[in-house]
mmCIF file of all heavy atoms in Angstrom:
data_model
loop_
_atom_site.group_PDB
_atom_site.id
_atom_site.type_symbol
_atom_site.label_atom_id
_atom_site.label_comp_id
_atom_site.label_asym_id
_atom_site.label_seq_id
_atom_site.Cartn_x
_atom_site.Cartn_y
_atom_site.Cartn_z
ATOM 1 N N GLY A 196 -15.837 58.097 -11.437
ATOM 2 C CA GLY A 196 -17.112 58.788 -11.289
ATOM 3 C C GLY A 196 -16.935 60.294 -11.326
ATOM 4 O O GLY A 196 -17.740 61.020 -11.917
ATOM 5 N N HIS A 197 -15.867 60.780 -10.699
ATOM 6 C CA HIS A 197 -15.576 62.212 -10.740
ATOM 7 C C HIS A 197 -15.328 62.661 -12.186
ATOM 8 O O HIS A 197 -15.826 63.715 -12.606
ATOM 9 C CB HIS A 197 -14.354 62.519 -9.870
ATOM 10 C CG HIS A 197 -13.934 63.956 -9.899
ATOM 11 N ND1 HIS A 197 -14.538 64.914 -9.132
ATOM 12 C CD2 HIS A 197 -12.977 64.596 -10.622
ATOM 13 C CE1 HIS A 197 -13.977 66.094 -9.371
ATOM 14 N NE2 HIS A 197 -13.020 65.926 -10.266
ATOM 15 N N LEU A 198 -14.595 61.854 -12.928
ATOM 16 C CA LEU A 198 -14.297 62.214 -14.317
ATOM 17 C C LEU A 198 -15.563 62.323 -15.155
ATOM 18 O O LEU A 198 -15.717 63.252 -15.952
ATOM 19 C CB LEU A 198 -13.343 61.189 -14.938
ATOM 20 C CG LEU A 198 -11.936 61.166 -14.351
ATOM 21 C CD1 LEU A 198 -11.157 59.985 -14.897
ATOM 22 C CD2 LEU A 198 -11.215 62.465 -14.641
ATOM 23 N N SER A 199 -16.465 61.375 -14.979
ATOM 24 C CA SER A 199 -17.665 61.385 -15.822
ATOM 25 C C SER A 199 -18.762 62.290 -15.292
ATOM 26 O O SER A 199 -19.453 62.948 -16.078
ATOM 27 C CB SER A 199 -18.195 59.961 -16.000
ATOM 28 O OG SER A 199 -18.577 59.413 -14.752
ATOM 29 N N LEU A 200 -18.935 62.366 -13.975
ATOM 30 C CA LEU A 200 -20.061 63.120 -13.432
ATOM 31 C C LEU A 200 -19.722 64.571 -13.109
ATOM 32 O O LEU A 200 -20.565 65.453 -13.277
ATOM 33 C CB LEU A 200 -20.590 62.425 -12.178
ATOM 34 C CG LEU A 200 -21.143 61.025 -12.410
ATOM 35 C CD1 LEU A 200 -21.468 60.351 -11.093
ATOM 36 C CD2 LEU A 200 -22.365 61.067 -13.302
ATOM 37 N N VAL A 201 -18.514 64.813 -12.620
ATOM 38 C CA VAL A 201 -18.137 66.179 -12.256
ATOM 39 C C VAL A 201 -17.415 66.862 -13.414
ATOM 40 O O VAL A 201 -17.775 67.958 -13.825
ATOM 41 C CB VAL A 201 -17.270 66.193 -10.974
ATOM 42 C CG1 VAL A 201 -16.811 67.607 -10.643
ATOM 43 C CG2 VAL A 201 -18.053 65.591 -9.809
ATOM 44 N N ARG A 202 -16.391 66.205 -13.940
ATOM 45 C CA ARG A 202 -15.665 66.785 -15.076
ATOM 46 C C ARG A 202 -16.469 66.669 -16.369
ATOM 47 O O ARG A 202 -16.147 67.292 -17.363
ATOM 48 C CB ARG A 202 -14.307 66.095 -15.253
ATOM 49 C CG ARG A 202 -13.339 66.220 -14.086
ATOM 50 C CD ARG A 202 -12.854 67.624 -13.818
ATOM 51 N NE ARG A 202 -12.231 68.189 -14.996
ATOM 52 C CZ ARG A 202 -12.208 69.493 -15.266
ATOM 53 N NH1 ARG A 202 -12.759 70.353 -14.455
ATOM 54 N NH2 ARG A 202 -11.633 69.933 -16.357
ATOM 55 N N LYS A 203 -17.503 65.824 -16.360
ATOM 56 C CA LYS A 203 -18.382 65.619 -17.516
ATOM 57 C C LYS A 203 -17.596 65.210 -18.754
ATOM 58 O O LYS A 203 -17.804 65.718 -19.852
ATOM 59 C CB LYS A 203 -19.216 66.865 -17.794
ATOM 60 C CG LYS A 203 -19.987 67.340 -16.575
ATOM 61 C CD LYS A 203 -21.368 67.742 -16.919
ATOM 62 C CE LYS A 203 -22.121 68.273 -15.714
ATOM 63 N NZ LYS A 203 -22.441 67.299 -14.724
ATOM 64 N N PHE A 204 -16.677 64.263 -18.536
ATOM 65 C CA PHE A 204 -15.824 63.837 -19.631
ATOM 66 C C PHE A 204 -16.131 62.399 -20.013
ATOM 67 O O PHE A 204 -15.995 61.491 -19.201
ATOM 68 C CB PHE A 204 -14.348 63.957 -19.261
ATOM 69 C CG PHE A 204 -13.452 63.607 -20.409
ATOM 70 C CD1 PHE A 204 -13.260 64.500 -21.444
ATOM 71 C CD2 PHE A 204 -12.860 62.365 -20.483
ATOM 72 C CE1 PHE A 204 -12.469 64.167 -22.530
ATOM 73 C CE2 PHE A 204 -12.067 62.020 -21.566
ATOM 74 C CZ PHE A 204 -11.874 62.934 -22.585
ATOM 75 N N ALA A 205 -16.527 62.194 -21.250
ATOM 76 C CA ALA A 205 -16.699 60.867 -21.844
ATOM 77 C C ALA A 205 -17.075 61.066 -23.306
ATOM 78 O O ALA A 205 -17.750 62.037 -23.654
ATOM 79 C CB ALA A 205 -17.783 60.064 -21.133
ATOM 80 N N SER A 206 -16.637 60.152 -24.140
ATOM 81 C CA SER A 206 -17.025 60.200 -25.546
ATOM 82 C C SER A 206 -18.528 59.966 -25.644
ATOM 83 O O SER A 206 -19.083 59.135 -24.938
ATOM 84 C CB SER A 206 -16.302 59.114 -26.339
ATOM 85 O OG SER A 206 -14.917 59.353 -26.345
ATOM 86 N N HIS A 207 -19.151 60.723 -26.510
ATOM 87 C CA HIS A 207 -20.571 60.518 -26.780
ATOM 88 C C HIS A 207 -20.901 61.160 -28.114
ATOM 89 O O HIS A 207 -20.157 61.976 -28.629
ATOM 90 C CB HIS A 207 -21.443 61.097 -25.657
ATOM 91 C CG HIS A 207 -21.393 62.592 -25.575
ATOM 92 N ND1 HIS A 207 -20.348 63.265 -25.000
ATOM 93 C CD2 HIS A 207 -22.252 63.525 -26.022
ATOM 94 C CE1 HIS A 207 -20.564 64.567 -25.089
ATOM 95 N NE2 HIS A 207 -21.707 64.751 -25.703
ATOM 96 N N ASP A 208 -22.033 60.759 -28.659
ATOM 97 C CA ASP A 208 -22.498 61.319 -29.921
ATOM 98 C C ASP A 208 -22.990 62.735 -29.657
ATOM 99 O O ASP A 208 -23.922 62.936 -28.880
ATOM 100 C CB ASP A 208 -23.634 60.451 -30.464
ATOM 101 C CG ASP A 208 -24.013 60.802 -31.890
ATOM 102 O OD1 ASP A 208 -23.805 61.969 -32.289
ATOM 103 O OD2 ASP A 208 -24.527 59.921 -32.588
ATOM 104 N N PRO A 209 -22.379 63.762 -30.281
ATOM 105 C CA PRO A 209 -22.811 65.139 -30.023
ATOM 106 C C PRO A 209 -24.293 65.376 -30.280
ATOM 107 O O PRO A 209 -24.892 66.258 -29.677
ATOM 108 C CB PRO A 209 -21.944 65.975 -30.971
ATOM 109 C CG PRO A 209 -20.742 65.132 -31.216
ATOM 110 C CD PRO A 209 -21.228 63.707 -31.179
ATOM 111 N N ALA A 210 -24.888 64.580 -31.144
ATOM 112 C CA ALA A 210 -26.317 64.761 -31.415
ATOM 113 C C ALA A 210 -27.148 64.553 -30.153
ATOM 114 O O ALA A 210 -28.229 65.119 -30.000
ATOM 115 C CB ALA A 210 -26.770 63.805 -32.506
ATOM 116 N N SER A 211 -26.646 63.737 -29.216
ATOM 117 C CA SER A 211 -27.404 63.494 -27.992
ATOM 118 C C SER A 211 -27.446 64.721 -27.094
ATOM 119 O O SER A 211 -28.288 64.815 -26.204
ATOM 120 C CB SER A 211 -26.831 62.297 -27.221
ATOM 121 O OG SER A 211 -25.535 62.600 -26.734
ATOM 122 N N ASP A 212 -26.567 65.694 -27.321
ATOM 123 C CA ASP A 212 -26.601 66.915 -26.523
ATOM 124 C C ASP A 212 -27.935 67.642 -26.669
ATOM 125 O O ASP A 212 -28.417 68.269 -25.735
ATOM 126 C CB ASP A 212 -25.470 67.864 -26.923
ATOM 127 C CG ASP A 212 -24.103 67.320 -26.559
ATOM 128 O OD1 ASP A 212 -24.054 66.329 -25.814
ATOM 129 O OD2 ASP A 212 -23.108 67.884 -27.026
ATOM 130 N N ASP A 213 -28.524 67.529 -27.865
ATOM 131 C CA ASP A 213 -29.814 68.182 -28.090
ATOM 132 C C ASP A 213 -30.910 67.591 -27.214
ATOM 133 O O ASP A 213 -31.921 68.229 -26.962
ATOM 134 C CB ASP A 213 -30.225 68.060 -29.562
ATOM 135 C CG ASP A 213 -29.261 68.807 -30.476
ATOM 136 O OD1 ASP A 213 -28.620 69.771 -29.997
ATOM 137 O OD2 ASP A 213 -29.153 68.422 -31.642
ATOM 138 N N GLU A 214 -30.687 66.365 -26.747
ATOM 139 C CA GLU A 214 -31.673 65.707 -25.895
ATOM 140 C C GLU A 214 -31.395 65.936 -24.414
ATOM 141 O O GLU A 214 -32.043 65.366 -23.557
ATOM 142 C CB GLU A 214 -31.697 64.197 -26.188
ATOM 143 C CG GLU A 214 -32.043 63.870 -27.622
ATOM 144 C CD GLU A 214 -33.420 64.391 -28.013
ATOM 145 O OE1 GLU A 214 -34.345 64.286 -27.193
ATOM 146 O OE2 GLU A 214 -33.549 64.926 -29.124
ATOM 147 N N GLY A 215 -30.362 66.732 -24.120
ATOM 148 C CA GLY A 215 -30.113 67.087 -22.723
ATOM 149 C C GLY A 215 -29.010 66.324 -22.040
ATOM 150 O O GLY A 215 -28.891 66.384 -20.823
ATOM 151 N N ALA A 216 -28.186 65.608 -22.806
ATOM 152 C CA ALA A 216 -27.138 64.806 -22.185
ATOM 153 C C ALA A 216 -26.194 65.664 -21.350
ATOM 154 O O ALA A 216 -25.688 65.226 -20.335
ATOM 155 C CB ALA A 216 -26.340 64.052 -23.235
ATOM 156 N N LEU A 217 -25.955 66.899 -21.775
ATOM 157 C CA LEU A 217 -25.051 67.768 -21.033
ATOM 158 C C LEU A 217 -25.794 68.860 -20.268
ATOM 159 O O LEU A 217 -25.180 69.740 -19.703
ATOM 160 C CB LEU A 217 -24.055 68.423 -21.996
ATOM 161 C CG LEU A 217 -23.132 67.467 -22.736
ATOM 162 C CD1 LEU A 217 -22.185 68.254 -23.634
ATOM 163 C CD2 LEU A 217 -22.343 66.619 -21.771
ATOM 164 N N HIS A 218 -27.116 68.796 -20.261
ATOM 165 C CA HIS A 218 -27.869 69.883 -19.656
ATOM 166 C C HIS A 218 -28.733 69.420 -18.476
ATOM 167 O O HIS A 218 -29.522 70.188 -17.970
ATOM 168 C CB HIS A 218 -28.743 70.561 -20.707
ATOM 169 C CG HIS A 218 -27.957 70.993 -21.900
ATOM 170 N ND1 HIS A 218 -27.021 72.007 -21.850
ATOM 171 C CD2 HIS A 218 -27.916 70.526 -23.168
ATOM 172 C CE1 HIS A 218 -26.464 72.151 -23.043
ATOM 173 N NE2 HIS A 218 -26.973 71.263 -23.857
ATOM 174 N N GLY A 219 -28.600 68.169 -18.083
ATOM 175 C CA GLY A 219 -29.366 67.682 -16.943
ATOM 176 C C GLY A 219 -28.903 68.342 -15.668
ATOM 177 O O GLY A 219 -27.774 68.791 -15.561
ATOM 178 N N GLN A 220 -29.774 68.404 -14.697
ATOM 179 C CA GLN A 220 -29.421 69.029 -13.425
ATOM 180 C C GLN A 220 -29.703 68.068 -12.298
ATOM 181 O O GLN A 220 -30.689 67.331 -12.316
ATOM 182 C CB GLN A 220 -30.224 70.316 -13.223
ATOM 183 C CG GLN A 220 -29.830 71.386 -14.217
ATOM 184 C CD GLN A 220 -30.479 72.718 -13.865
ATOM 185 O OE1 GLN A 220 -31.188 72.833 -12.888
ATOM 186 N NE2 GLN A 220 -30.229 73.714 -14.685
ATOM 187 N N TYR A 221 -28.839 68.115 -11.310
ATOM 188 C CA TYR A 221 -29.018 67.304 -10.112
ATOM 189 C C TYR A 221 -30.003 68.033 -9.211
ATOM 190 O O TYR A 221 -29.798 69.177 -8.841
ATOM 191 C CB TYR A 221 -27.686 67.109 -9.405
ATOM 192 C CG TYR A 221 -27.786 66.431 -8.062
ATOM 193 C CD1 TYR A 221 -28.208 65.118 -7.984
ATOM 194 C CD2 TYR A 221 -27.472 67.097 -6.902
ATOM 195 C CE1 TYR A 221 -28.305 64.478 -6.772
ATOM 196 C CE2 TYR A 221 -27.564 66.474 -5.674
ATOM 197 C CZ TYR A 221 -27.989 65.152 -5.620
ATOM 198 O OH TYR A 221 -28.094 64.524 -4.416
ATOM 199 N N ALA A 222 -31.099 67.363 -8.903
ATOM 200 C CA ALA A 222 -32.161 68.025 -8.142
ATOM 201 C C ALA A 222 -32.055 67.775 -6.643
ATOM 202 O O ALA A 222 -32.862 68.279 -5.883
ATOM 203 C CB ALA A 222 -33.514 67.555 -8.643
#
Side-chain angles (χ1 to χ4, degrees):
H197 177 82
L198 293 172
S199 62
L200 297 172
V201 177
R202 298 294 303 151
K203 306 223 182 291
F204 184 77
S206 295
H207 67 282
D208 191 333
S211 67
D212 292 349
D213 295 334
E214 300 300 319
L217 298 181
H218 307 292
Q220 293 189 1
Y221 173 66

